[in-house]
Amino acid sequence: MKEKIINSAFDIFMDKGYVETTVSQISREAGVAYGTVYFHFRKGKDDVLLKIFTFVMEEFYQVLDQEFQVQTVQQNKEIIYGQMMSSFEIVDKNRRIMQVVWEAKGKSEIVYHTLHQLKERFIYRIAEDLKYNRENGLTASKDDLLNARALMHMIWGFIWEYTLSEQFKANEIANAITTIYMEGVYS
């Protein structure tokens, strides 16, 4: 039942976006009663959208959770560039649903909060990597968490800019981020 609701909602979100999608449409498309959607997804379409987006978030987490213990600055640069390119591949594959999530972010407190939590998880992971690299003499970074926050804001902004428009190519953004990351933190 849950899977039918998710699949139906996915199609409607992809077609209509966040604002135009309703629980009534989801229940009708899934062939279930209106209340059944709320039984499985207490917050209605917001919960369904977040369940769909969970699959995308898991892909980003996999990129983030790659082993990051490097021995040289060059290895670090290659990993950062690779992580950025992997992130843009995820966006390319999921662009429309990410655009719907972006639309929802401005209208749904639960979606906004979930995106904030995602960003915070990335910030703390980056801080761990910076700390490891500082402790191993690869960076002179003094405030790992503050630097991670600054880096993540830049990355986060570019991820969403890339999602919403194709003004820049993925490799151009990845190069820019890698350069700023390496020269701003590692020099």
Side-chain angles (χ1 to χ4, degrees):
M1 187 74 61
K2 245 179 148 169
E3 192 172 319
K4 277 177 72 173
I5 294 168
I6 290 169
N7 291 335
S8 297
F10 178 82
D11 292 341
I12 296 168
F13 280 127
M14 295 293 278
D15 183 46
K16 297 184 178 290
Y18 175 77
V19 172
E20 300 293 321
T21 297
T22 66
V23 173
S24 294
Q25 293 167 336
I26 295 169
S27 66
R28 190 171 34 255
E29 181 74 20
V32 300
Y34 182 85
T36 304
V37 175
Y38 281 100
F39 176 77
H40 291 289
F41 300 95
R42 300 268 181 234
K43 304 265 185 196
K45 74 177 185 178
D46 292 352
D47 277 351
V48 180
L49 179 59
L50 288 174
K51 183 63 176 173
I52 293 167
F53 191 58
T54 296
F55 300 118
V56 178
M57 289 188 301
E58 286 305 318
E59 290 183 65
F60 281 114
Y61 290 147
Q62 287 175 6
V63 169
L64 177 71
D65 287 338
Q66 292 174 1
E67 189 64 34
F68 200 79
Q69 297 181 353
V70 297
Q71 303 302 316
T72 68
V73 171
Q74 183 60 34
Q75 285 177 326
N76 196 28
K77 184 176 184 177
E78 291 167 7
I79 288 173
I80 292 166
Y81 181 84
Q83 286 178 320
M84 290 309 309
M85 290 304 294
S86 294
S87 295
F88 291 124
E89 288 171 13
I90 293 167
V91 172
D92 287 338
K93 189 171 69 175
N94 299 286
R95 184 177 308 273
R96 179 62 183 134
I97 199 65
M98 287 183 65
Q99 290 169 343
V100 172
V101 169
W102 184 260
E103 178 188 0
K105 174 183 110 32
K107 308 212 177 321
S108 165
E109 189 173 317
I110 188 171
V111 173
Y112 176 85
H113 181 69
T114 300
L115 287 176
H116 178 73
Q117 287 178 317
L118 172 65
K119 185 168 66 171
E120 289 297 310
R121 180 175 175 184
F122 286 148
I123 288 168
Y124 284 98
R125 176 53 195 217
I126 292 169
E128 289 174 14
D129 294 338
L130 290 174
K131 179 181 178 191
Y132 170 86
N133 289 326
R134 180 177 41 78
E135 289 173 347
N136 287 283
L138 296 173
T139 179
S141 175
K142 301 253 188 288
D143 190 333
D144 301 324
L145 188 56
L146 181 62
N147 287 329
R149 189 167 296 283
L151 289 165
M152 187 59 204
H153 282 293
M154 176 183 60
I155 294 165
W156 190 254
F158 271 122
I159 291 286
W160 287 107
E161 185 172 329
Y162 183 75
T163 298
L164 301 171
S165 80
E166 297 183 40
Q167 180 179 358
F168 299 103
K169 294 180 178 156
N171 65 324
E172 294 170 337
I173 298 170
N175 277 326
I177 289 172
T178 303
T179 299
I180 292 168
Y181 189 102
M182 297 303 296
E183 293 178 13
V185 176
Y186 289 91
S187 55

